[in-house]
Amino acid sequence: MTRKAAIIGGGVIGGGWAARFLLNGWDVAIFDPDPEAKRKIGEVIDGARRSLPALYDRALPPEGSLSFHDGLDDAVAGANWVQESVPERLDLKHKVLAKLDQAAPVDAIIGSSTSGFKPSQLTAQGARAIVAHPFNPVYLLPLVELVGDRDQCAKADSILRDIGMRPLTLRKEIDAHIADRLLEAVWRECLWLVTDGIATTEEIDDAIRMGFGLRWAQMGIFETYRVAGGEAGMKHFMEQFGPALSWPWTKLMDVPEFTPELVDLIATQSDRQSGQMSIRQLERLRDDNLVGILRALRRNQAGAGKVIADHEAGFPPLPHSDQLIETVHRVVPSSWTDYNGHMNEAHYLEIGTQATDRMMEIVGAGPDYIARGKSYFTVENHISYLAEAKEGATLRVTTQVLAGEGKKMHLFHRIQNGETLVATMETMLLHVDLDSRRSCPPEGEVAEALAQLATRHTALPRPDQAGRHVGQRA
Amino acid sequence: MTRKAAIIGGGVIGGGWAARFLLNGWDVAIFDPDPEAKRKIGEVIDGARRSLPALYDRALPPEGSLSFHDGLDDAVAGANWVQESVPERLDLKHKVLAKLDQAAPVDAIIGSSTSGFKPSQLTAQGARAIVAHPFNPVYLLPLVELVGDRDQCAKADSILRDIGMRPLTLRKEIDAHIADRLLEAVWRECLWLVTDGIATTEEIDDAIRMGFGLRWAQMGIFETYRVAGGEAGMKHFMEQFGPALSWPWTKLMDVPEFTPELVDLIATQSDRQSGQMSIRQLERLRDDNLVGILRALRRNQAGAGKVIADHEAGFPPLPHSDQLIETVHRVVPSSWTDYNGHMNEAHYLEIGTQATDRMMEIVGAGPDYIARGKSYFTVENHISYLAEAKEGATLRVTTQVLAGEGKKMHLFHRIQNGETLVATMETMLLHVDLDSRRSCPPEGEVAEALAQLATRHTALPRPDQAGRHVGQRA
C-alpha cells in the first residue's frame, strides 16, 4: 500500500525530504505558502532524479504522486509522516506544530527538521513532535538525527531506513544535537582564520577537502585516530595527544564578532573562489561528487555506502517473464557517461556482468556457492552497440541461455531502453575450481538448473547477433 | 637525474613521506634509531604500493632506491629534501634541526612535520627549517601545510607538486596551522559528547561520515554553505546563520578534563566499535576507501581528484615501440577486482577503452578534435580472456590497426602482464558527427594519419583472435 508524507515548508530542506520520499515510492503532499514553492521544490526533485537512482544497481520503486496544497489540513490528511521544515524560530515552530498535531492522523510521525531546538522546547506547549534533523542534500546524505519520545523515535527509525536513510537516535537531548555542534565549532574557528588573515575561504576549503575531509567521508574522527595510533591502540593515541588539548590552539573560547565587514570579506572571497559557477552548476557538481564517493564506499561496504547496499538488498526480486529472464533493471548514472555525451562502452559490459551475476544466482551459483570454492570465469565476450544510452536512462536486460552443458555457460544479454534495443552481449563462461584455478564441471544442482533453462531457451528464436564476429556484414 | 630525500624519524608519518617520495621515483635514505624502524616503515611502504599507483591511469615512474642509515650525516648527504618527523617536543626538534642544518646541503629544503609548532619556534636557535605538515596517510592525502621563509616555501611548493601533493602556504604563522585548529575544535567537542553521554564514539563517527564528512571530502565548509545558501548567495547565508553563533551550542569555551576515566571510556567504546579488526585491516579498508573516493573525484576533476589528474598529465608520453604502439601502461587497482579474486571482466574493456582513446589522440582525434564536433563511436567489441590479472599487476597494452579506411577504425589491443598475454580486444569504431549523431568520414589529417598506421600495421602478422566469434574452436 502506498504511504503518504506531508511536507510542511519547502526550501532546500523540505524539497529534499519531498524528493527522498517521492523517489522511494511514497505519495508526497506539500504545503508551502511561498508562491515560488512549486518551482523551487521542482528543481530540488529534478536534482534528486538525476542522482539518487544513480547510487543503486537496481531501479528504485516507481515514484509516488506529488501534490501541492493550499491548506495545511488538506496536505496532512491521511499522512503516515509529517515533516515540518519552517524557519528556525521557536514561536513559529510552536504555532505550526500545534496545527499539525490537530490535523495529522493520531498514528502519524511528526518530525521537525530543526537543527538547533531540543524536543522539550518543541513540545513545550503540548504538541507532539520529534526532532528528525537531516543533512543537505537530503536525497543523497543518509544521516538523520532523531531526538525525543523513545517510541516515536523507534517507529521513525524503521520508516527512515525504508527510504534508505541512516537514523541516529541521540541518548539525551542537547542543543544543536551532534553534527551541528561539531559544525559550529569548525565554523567559528574558520571565521577567526579569515578574520585574522591566516587564509582565504578557498584555502580553508582546500585544507579540509585535500586532507581530513577525505578521511571523514569514510571513518569519522575516532576511527581515524584509532588507525593513526597504530599498533599501540586507541589508549596510546589518547595519552599521546591528550596534553595538546590544553595548548592555546583554538580561539574558540571567543566568539568572533559578526560584523558587516566580516560578512563582506567572506562573501567576497567566496565569490572569487567560485563565482564563475552558478548555484545550479555547483549543486550538480556536488551531487556528482557525492554519487561517485557513495558508489566508491558502497563497493567496500563502508560507511554510507553500506547503507545503500543494505537498502538495495531489501528491494523485491525482479519478476520472471514468461520466457526470457529479466536480469537487470537500473538507471544510467552520470558518472557512466563520457566525452561523447553517452554511456561509455565499458559500462555496457558492466551491465552485462551484472546480468551474468544474476544468472549465476538463478542457477544456484551465487555468493554461497562461490564461498564454497566454485565459480564461473568469463572467457569471451562480444558486444554489439546498437543505440546510444544517455544519463538517467532506465535500462532493462533480458537474458537467454544459448547453451549450458558440461563446463560451459553460454549466455546472450539484450540491453533495452524502453522498446529500443541499445546493445547485445554474447558471453561464454567456464566453470572453475577456485583453488586450482582450473576448469571443472559444476555441482549437480547447478548443472541441472542450467540444463533446464537451456532446454527452454534454445526453443526460442536464436538472436541475430549470436555467433557474430567483429566487422561481419549484417 | 634522480633526486634524494632524507627521512629523519620514521613512524607512520616518516614512513608515509618515505613512500610518497620513493614511489614518485626519488631515492630515499632513512635515519631512525627505532630498532623496529625497518619493519614499521616497510609496512607503510607496502600499504603505499598497493594504493598510490591505483589512483593513476598511468604507471608511476620506477621506484627509487631505499636505504637505512645508522648515522644522520650519512642519510642527509646529497639530499634535495630533508624531512624531520621526530616526536612533538620542542627541545628535541631544536637538537635535531641544528644537526640537520649542519649536515644537509645548503640548497636542501629542511621540512618539519610538526603539527603544532610555528616556524619562528623551530628556527629560534638559528637552524633553517620550514613547516611541511602532511596528513596521514601521507602517500594518499595530497595536503601539506607550508609555513615559514617565503623563498623556501616557494621552492618546497614546486617539489611537492612534482610528487603529486597539494601544498598550501599559510599567509601568517599560527599555532597548529589551519587544519589542526579545526580538528582540535571538533575533537574537544567530541570529548564532551562522550563525557556527557550524548553519544558513543561509533555514533559520533556515524554522525560525521553519514553526513557532513561526505560533503567535506569534496567542497570544504565555505563552498558547501555557499551551495546551501541557494540562489540568495553567500551573504544571505551568512546573515541567516550568523546569529546562531552566539547561541550556547558549543561547549568549547571549556576544555574537558583529560581524566584516566575519560581515556578508558573512549578506548573501551572504540574497541567495541572496531576491535574485531586489526589495525592493518583498518588501514587497508581506509586506503581502499580513499582510493575509491579519490578516483570518483578525479572523474569530476574535483578537489583532490583534480590534483591527481593534473599530476598525471605531467607524466612523460609512452614510448613508441618499433612496430606496435604502446597505448596503456598502468596498475590494477584493488577496486577493480571481484568475488573471484581477480580483475573483473568489465575492467579489461575499461583498459581497452583507454587504449582506444590513446589511439584516437595519436591519429589526431583527441579532445580538441572532439570539441570541434567530430568523434569515433564504438560499434562492436570482442574480448578474449586468456589469463587472470590480480590486484597490483602492471599491465601494458599494445595496439595494432587492422584497418583504417573511410568511416571505419578497426583496432586490436593486446593486454600483457610482463610476458603473459592476459587478454585481447578487437574493436570496431565508426567516425561520427556529434551534432547529427550520424556517421561521416573523418577530417583529412585524421584519415591520413590513420591510413599511414594501417599500412604499416597490416604488414605485421594478423592476430589469431582477430575475426573470432564467441565459442569458436581455437
Side-chain angles (χ1 to χ4, degrees), chain A residues 31 107 117 128 154 157 196 215 258 296 320 348 413 428 444 458:
Chain A
F31 171 72
D107 58 348
F117 297 118
R128 75 196 135 122
D157 178 283
D196 292 347
R215 301 195 298 224
F258 205 70
H320 280 224
Y348 288 84
H413 306 302
M428 178 69 80
T458 47

Side-chain angles (χ1 to χ4, degrees), chain A residues 190-231:
Chain A
C190 289
L191 294 184
W192 276 120
L193 290 167
V194 175
T195 304
D196 292 347
I198 307 300
T200 64
T201 59
E202 180 164 16
E203 287 163 351
I204 295 170
D205 278 351
D206 276 355
I208 295 173
R209 68 192 187 142
M210 302 287 170
F212 68 86
L214 293 164
R215 301 195 298 224
W216 284 4
Q218 41 146 341
M219 278 193 173
I221 191 166
F222 287 102
E223 191 89 332
T224 297
Y225 287 161
R226 183 185 181 91
V227 181
E231 297 164 19

Side-chain angles (χ1 to χ4, degrees), chain A residues 166 172 181 206 223 226 235 264 270 274 299 337 339-340 345 357 375 380-381 388 437 468, chain B residues 166 196 206 223 226 235 264 270 274 299 337 339-340 345 357 375 380-381 388 437 468:
Chain A
R166 164 67 170 99
K172 294 179 190 169
R181 293 178 76 88
D206 276 355
E223 191 89 332
R226 183 185 181 91
K235 202 155 176 170
D264 266 351
S270 172
S274 51
R299 204 204 160 272
T337 59
Y339 51 77
N340 282 328
E345 54 179 316
D357 286 350
S375 189
E380 213 171 353
N381 277 324
E388 298 180 82
R437 315 301 277 186
R468 184 182 157 83
Chain B
R166 163 66 170 100
D196 291 347
D206 276 354
E223 191 89 332
R226 184 186 180 88
K235 201 155 177 171
D264 266 351
S270 172
S274 51
R299 202 203 161 273
T337 58
Y339 52 77
N340 282 327
E345 55 179 315
D357 286 350
S375 188
E380 212 169 354
N381 278 323
E388 297 179 82
R437 315 301 277 182
R468 185 183 156 81

Side-chain angles (χ1 to χ4, degrees), chain B residues 99-335:
Chain B
K99 284 190 197 164
L100 293 177
D101 189 25
Q102 283 246 306
V106 289
D107 58 348
I109 296 283
I110 302 181
S112 169
S113 300
T114 182
S115 56
F117 296 118
K118 295 178 283 198
S120 62
Q121 294 173 289
L122 297 176
T123 60
Q125 300 185 356
R128 74 194 136 123
I130 58 169
V131 170
H133 175 232
F135 291 79
N136 187 39
V138 182
Y139 48 84
L140 291 180
L141 298 190
L143 184 66
V144 186
E145 290 172 324
L146 295 179
V147 206
D149 176 81
R150 186 182 294 255
D151 291 341
Q152 296 278 308
C153 285
K155 194 171 159 190
D157 178 283
S158 156
I159 291 174
L160 295 175
R161 284 181 198 272
D162 269 357
I163 59 170
M165 303 186 88
R166 163 66 170 100
L168 176 62
T169 303
L170 269 66
R171 287 155 191 261
K172 296 180 191 169
E173 69 168 23
I174 185 177
D175 289 308
H177 328 313
I178 295 176
D180 274 8
R181 293 178 77 88
L182 310 183
L183 287 169
E184 175 82 359
V186 172
W187 180 237
R188 280 193 194 180
E189 195 66 19
C190 288
L191 294 183
W192 276 121
L193 290 168
V194 175
T195 305
D196 291 347
I198 307 298
T200 65
T201 59
E202 180 164 15
E203 287 163 349
I204 294 170
D205 278 352
D206 276 354
I208 295 172
R209 68 193 186 141
M210 303 287 169
F212 67 87
L214 293 164
R215 300 194 298 222
W216 285 3
Q218 43 147 340
M219 280 195 171
I221 191 167
F222 286 101
E223 191 89 332
T224 297
Y225 287 161
R226 184 186 180 88
V227 181
E231 298 163 20
M234 192 67 187
K235 201 155 177 171
H236 168 76
F237 176 85
M238 295 279 294
E239 279 158 357
Q240 190 182 348
F241 286 88
L245 272 181
S246 55
W247 295 354
W249 281 5
T250 50
K251 292 185 73 166
L252 283 154
M253 24 296 270
D254 301 321
V255 176
E257 206 186 338
F258 205 70
T259 60
E261 289 72 30
L262 177 57
V263 172
D264 266 351
L265 180 61
I266 288 184
T268 307
Q269 289 186 355
S270 172
D271 286 350
R272 202 175 303 141
Q273 182 178 345
S274 51
Q276 76 287 0
M277 290 178 83
S278 73
I279 294 295
R280 284 282 160 273
Q281 287 174 310
L282 284 170
E283 273 177 355
R284 204 178 154 112
L285 176 62
R286 176 198 65 191
D287 289 358
D288 286 350
N289 286 336
L290 286 174
V291 168
I293 290 169
L294 288 164
R295 290 190 62 88
L297 291 172
R298 182 195 157 128
R299 202 203 161 273
N300 300 331
Q301 293 277 313
K306 185 162 191 320
V307 173
I308 295 159
D310 289 347
H311 185 215
E312 186 180 296
F315 290 6
L318 291 177
H320 279 223
S321 74
D322 286 350
Q323 305 193 302
L324 297 180
I325 295 170
E326 185 170 312
T327 41
V328 173
H329 178 194
R330 64 163 306 132
V331 170
V332 177
S334 60
S335 64

Side-chain angles (χ1 to χ4, degrees), chain A residues 318-384:
Chain A
L318 290 177
H320 280 224
S321 71
D322 287 350
Q323 304 192 303
L324 298 179
I325 295 171
E326 185 169 313
T327 43
V328 173
H329 178 193
R330 66 162 304 133
V331 168
V332 177
S334 59
S335 64
W336 282 15
T337 59
D338 65 14
Y339 51 77
N340 282 328
H342 57 210
M343 185 164 85
N344 181 267
E345 54 179 316
H347 293 288
Y348 288 84
L349 178 45
E350 187 167 347
I351 290 178
T353 301
Q354 289 171 353
T356 299
D357 286 350
R358 178 76 189 118
M359 275 306 299
M360 284 170 62
E361 275 175 41
I362 288 170
V363 300
D368 292 346
Y369 186 82
I370 294 166
R372 294 202 304 273
K374 304 272 174 63
S375 189
Y376 280 94
F377 284 1
T378 302
V379 292
E380 213 171 353
N381 277 324
H382 177 272
I383 306 170
S384 293

